[in-house]
Structure formats: C-alpha cells, structure tokens
Amino acid sequence: MQSTTEKIKEEAQAAAQTVKDNQNVGMTERIISGIAAVAIGAYAVKKKDSLLGKGLTAVSGFLLTRATTGFCPLNKAIGRNSLLVG
C-alpha cells in the first residue's frame, strides 16, 4: 500500500511531465516574451482608461503567460515548436 506522500509525489511528477511535454516555446523566446510583457504592461497602465490600454493589458497578459508556462497556443495552432530548434 502506497503512502499518501508517495501518491502526491507521483502525481506531482506526472503533472510536471505533462507541462514539460506541452511546452513549445524556447528559453530565448520566453525571456523576450517576459520583457515585452513588462514593457507593454507598464505602458498599458498609463493608458488604462482607453480601449488601447485595455487591449495592451490583454496582450501583456498573454505574453506573461507564454513566458511563465513555456506554452503558446498560437505555436500549437500552426504546428511550431521553438523548444526543439537549435
């Protein structure tokens, strides 16, 4: 019989492997996406009451998610995986 700790450890390892298997953005692109997210987000704060500001906030959020997770739904849609390049 497995202990609860062992079960949790196995499930965490399986989840980490799933995330790793789904990554499709290389480290350089992740860094650039993170920097761009911060820059666009800072500008969006200045324009927060306009439609442009709201749109830039969404773009910033997308780039930040892309940078932190290493997954890009646009890459997946076009079959691109920059993690495997180089």
Side-chain angles (χ1 to χ4, degrees), residues 9-10 12 14 25 27 30 32-33 40 46 54-55 58 60-61 63 69 74 81:
K9 184 178 178 182
E10 285 180 8
V25 179
M27 188 55 68
R30 290 177 74 175
I32 292 169
S33 293
I40 292 170
K46 293 180 183 179
K54 291 173 181 21
S60 177
L63 288 172
T69 64
L74 297 175
N81 187 343

Side-chain angles (χ1 to χ4, degrees), residues 31-64:
I31 292 169
I32 292 169
S33 293
I35 293 168
V38 171
I40 292 170
Y43 185 72
V45 168
K46 293 180 183 179
K47 301 288 185 179
K48 66 181 175 185
D49 293 328
S50 69
L51 185 60
L52 175 64
K54 291 173 181 21
L56 290 176
T57 299
V59 170
S60 177
F62 171 77
L63 288 172
L64 188 59

